[in-house]
Amino acid sequence: INKEIPPQSPLNKGGGMISGKDAFVLYDTYGFPLELTQEIAEENGLTVDVSGFETEMEEQRNRSKDAHETIDLTIQGSLDKLAETIHPTAFLGHTEPVSEAVVKAILIEGKSVESAEAGTKVQIVLDQTPFYAESGGQIGDRGFLSFGDTVVRVEDVQKESNIFIHLGKVERGILTLGMTVNAQIDRACRRRAQANHTATHLLQAALKLIVDPTISQAGSMVSFDRLRFDFNCPRQLTPEELQQVEDQVNSWIAEAHPAIVAEMPLEEAKAKGATAMFGEKYSDVVRVVDYVGVSMELCGGTHVNNTAEIGLFKIVTETGIASGIRRIEAVAGQSVLDYLKVRDNVVKELGDRFKAKPEELPERITNLQNELKATQKQLDAAKGELAIAKSDQLLAEAETIGEVKILVAELPGVDADSLKTAAERLQQKLGESAVVLGSSPEEGKVSLVAAFSKTVNNKGLQAGKFIGNIAKICGGGGGGRPNFAQAGGRDASKLAEALDSAKTQLVEGLK
């Protein structure tokens, strides 16, 4: 957090609020959920600009959309011309992982060409294809196009006006217009995508069953290694609810529910209870994916034939991304094993370091935390004693102004708590007095404290207002009671100047 909040941030200007931009950087770059940032902020007496955070989230979505559309716009002009002669691409991928296809168009950097040589990045349009084009939140397929010595690696597939655009690179040979190629998807990647996509269906059904039947999908992302599901919910899910949802999904997986896929009129599908995504536009005839007794949704994506093919499901995180919108990130199938391998390696490393079995680690870490707390208490006590010892040496520096003694001094390296202890002790020993102490316990941090007796208060000097103004010299602020107050700052180079000002103001105020 300290690294990512720049000097120009409102937080560093004493505004007491973490900006929405800073909160978004913590979320987007470091994975800090908004709730965690809010919790840490609250512990430190700060607030978070939630509205600004949501604005940053929306801008990120727009940037992502714009970046995605760049591919389409690059070739849009050519597609508009080709659309007059090219028919929509026939998608065969629900049943056929391999098919023959005719190359109807080749584009290089948005320009239509007759051929493409090895090493060239291309966008290819086929008359038919087994490749799924990215849509509905599911990533496009990967795979190969081949004919004789010619091989094209397909890295992504996008869809524009029902024309499938295969984005890839000619690995060998020469690809030519009109060539009949063998189109083959990467089946391992497809299996991963199918498992993750089907898991989103089961996840939505489990959320409706366990958390709230009114929950509805607000968005999703299905890739080869993970899934993300956004849903409408006004509150954070409890750990118990998340565990129940995960257990329910895995239960349905183990029960091996077969998929029944059918096309039917939209109204008939709705009458049967099929779940539709709010705001989505559907054609008159829709594709219904039904895992009987579990989930029935309108969906054009790819799915497993039986829930047992998913294997496993694991929730990774649950966070809030906007007002009333929650997000679950999870893994399914082979990705669960990948996820567990990483964590298993971490547990093994911790076990080796602490010389403990996995089941002993929580207790061992708790014991270390307790030891650390005890050591910290001893260190704090030692710091307090050192501060008292240093403060006793300052008694001789006290000056008398009328009936009041004043003492303004720096105690190098003393933290705020110890500085407070020292000030209170000095005032007790000096009697009717005004004590102002300052310290720079660490780089970029200033601590100040003021302890005023009743006689000083009667002269019109209030510790809270006084020390707050002095702290401004060091780029900070603070306050407190009339008789005792603390403040802080960021510019340690101004500490001496601040203490000089404090002494001058005390002398003038007490005359």
Side-chain angles (χ1 to χ4, degrees):
I1 289 177
N2 290 335
K3 177 182 177 183
E4 288 302 331
I5 295 181
Q8 67 270 25
S9 166
L11 177 59
N12 282 334
K13 293 180 180 178
M17 176 181 286
I18 297 177
S19 72
K21 183 176 182 180
D22 291 333
F24 178 75
V25 169
L26 292 171
Y27 168 80
D28 189 54
T29 305
Y30 299 101
F32 272 62
L34 178 61
E35 289 87 351
L36 179 58
T37 302
Q38 289 176 307
E39 182 178 329
I40 295 173
E42 184 177 353
E43 291 174 356
N44 289 273
L46 305 169
T47 59
V48 179
D49 181 9
V50 177
S51 177
F53 174 84
E54 293 177 358
T55 298
E56 292 291 330
M57 283 292 297
E58 183 61 29
E59 289 180 358
Q60 172 73 333
R61 294 189 193 100
N62 291 336
R63 285 194 296 270
S64 177
K65 181 180 179 181
D66 290 343
H68 173 80
E69 289 178 347
T70 298
I71 298 172
D72 295 337
L73 293 173
T74 301
I75 59 177
Q76 186 64 55
S78 297
L79 282 177
D80 288 341
K81 295 177 181 178
L82 291 170
E84 299 176 4
T85 56
I86 295 179
H87 296 292
T89 309
F91 176 58
L92 312 175
H94 283 311
T95 57
E96 299 180 31
V98 182
S99 73
E100 287 191 344
V102 177
V103 177
K104 305 300 288 186
I106 305 171
L107 296 97
I108 299 176
E109 296 182 351
K111 296 181 179 180
S112 181
V113 297
E114 296 290 323
S115 63
E117 299 179 347
T120 307
K121 291 184 177 181
V122 292
Q123 298 95 35
I124 304 164
V125 178
L126 306 175
D127 64 335
Q128 59 182 16
T129 183
F131 286 82
Y132 182 81
E134 181 175 334
S135 61
Q138 180 179 332
I139 195 170
D141 276 326
R142 294 175 181 171
F144 293 92
L145 306 178
S146 61
F147 175 76
D149 293 333
T150 300
V151 176
V152 178
R153 179 188 296 274
V154 177
E155 295 291 347
D156 189 17
V157 183
Q158 300 293 325
K159 183 166 61 174
E160 181 69 26
S161 302
N162 290 320
I163 295 177
F164 286 41
I165 307 157
H166 304 70
L167 294 91
K169 182 179 180 181
V170 181
E171 298 288 343
R172 292 201 311 265
I174 299 176
L175 181 72
T176 59
L177 197 63
M179 178 183 284
T180 298
V181 296
N182 180 268
Q184 180 171 334
I185 65 170
D186 184 323
R187 300 192 191 199
C189 287
R190 168 67 76 83
R191 283 193 294 269
R192 283 175 172 256
Q194 287 180 163
N196 284 331
H197 193 145
T198 306
T200 64
H201 289 223
L202 303 187
L203 174 57
Q204 178 169 211
L207 288 168
K208 287 176 175 288
L209 178 66
I210 294 167
V211 181
D212 188 340
T214 65
I215 280 177
S216 60
Q217 181 177 342
S220 68
M221 185 281 296
V222 175
S223 67
F224 302 125
D225 59 350
R226 63 193 176 99
L227 65 95
R228 187 175 69 214
F229 185 78
D230 300 341
F231 57 99
N232 296 293
C233 187
R235 62 175 178 84
Q236 181 178 4
L237 272 61
T238 66
E240 293 75 19
E241 287 174 326
L242 287 173
Q243 189 60 58
Q244 290 174 17
V245 168
E246 182 180 296
D247 291 344
Q248 182 61 69
V249 172
N250 280 309
S251 177
W252 284 331
I253 290 172
E255 289 168 2
H257 294 272
I260 299 176
V261 182
E263 291 189 350
M264 63 185 71
L266 177 60
E267 293 307 316
E268 180 183 343
K270 289 182 177 180
K272 288 188 174 184
T275 299
M277 185 172 174
F278 179 77
E280 187 76 11
K281 294 182 179 180
Y282 295 97
S283 59
D284 293 336
V285 177
V286 294
R287 184 170 182 266
V288 178
V289 181
D290 184 11
Y291 294 94
V292 181
V294 176
S295 165
M296 182 191 296
E297 292 192 26
L298 307 183
C299 190
T302 63
H303 307 81
V304 297
N305 293 318
N306 189 295
T307 58
E309 295 175 25
I310 298 174
L312 288 171
F313 173 79
K314 177 67 181 174
I315 293 175
V316 178
T317 62
E318 190 269 345
T319 58
I321 61 169
S323 178
I325 304 293
R326 308 295 302 178
R327 169 174 291 172
I328 285 178
E329 296 193 34
V331 288
Q334 179 65 36
S335 297
V336 176
L337 297 180
D338 298 337
Y339 173 84
L340 294 177
K341 283 178 184 177
V342 174
R343 278 135 192 84
D344 186 51
N345 289 335
V346 171
V347 171
K348 286 179 180 178
E349 184 176 345
L350 289 174
D352 291 340
R353 289 188 180 187
F354 293 117
K355 307 299 181 184
K357 297 178 181 178
E359 61 270 21
E360 297 172 344
L361 284 173
E363 182 179 358
R364 182 66 59 86
I365 292 173
T366 299
N367 291 337
L368 286 174
Q369 288 176 321
N370 292 335
E371 291 175 11
L372 181 61
K373 288 179 181 178
T375 302
Q376 186 62 48
K377 287 183 179 179
Q378 294 174 359
L379 179 60
D380 291 341
K383 286 181 178 180
E385 293 173 1
L386 179 60
I388 290 172
K390 287 183 177 181
S391 66
D392 286 344
Q393 298 173 10
L394 297 174
L395 288 170
E397 300 179 16
E399 300 178 23
T400 302
I401 306 294
E403 57 184 327
V404 176
K405 291 183 178 180
I406 66 169
L407 177 59
V408 179
E410 179 181 355
L411 285 177
V414 175
D415 61 37
D417 289 337
S418 299
L419 203 65
K420 173 186 175 183
T421 301
E424 290 172 337
R425 180 180 175 84
L426 283 168
Q427 190 185 46
Q428 289 175 0
K429 289 196 172 186
L430 291 172
E432 292 296 335
S433 58
V435 178
V436 176
L437 300 178
S439 177
S440 178
E442 58 187 74
E443 185 178 354
K445 186 174 182 180
V446 173
S447 294
L448 293 163
V449 63
F452 292 175
S453 65
K454 288 185 178 180
T455 301
V456 177
N457 289 156
N458 291 337
K459 293 282 188 177
L461 295 174
Q462 307 288 313
K465 293 180 180 178
F466 184 89
I467 203 66
N469 289 328
I470 296 300
K472 290 179 180 178
I473 299 174
C474 298
R481 303 188 306 274
N483 65 319
F484 190 87
Q486 289 178 283
R490 295 179 180 275
D491 190 350
S493 67
K494 296 293 183 69
L495 178 57
E497 179 185 339
L499 292 175
D500 287 342
S501 178
K503 185 173 182 179
T504 300
Q505 292 182 42
L506 281 176
V507 172
E508 292 178 353
L510 292 171
K511 284 183 178 179

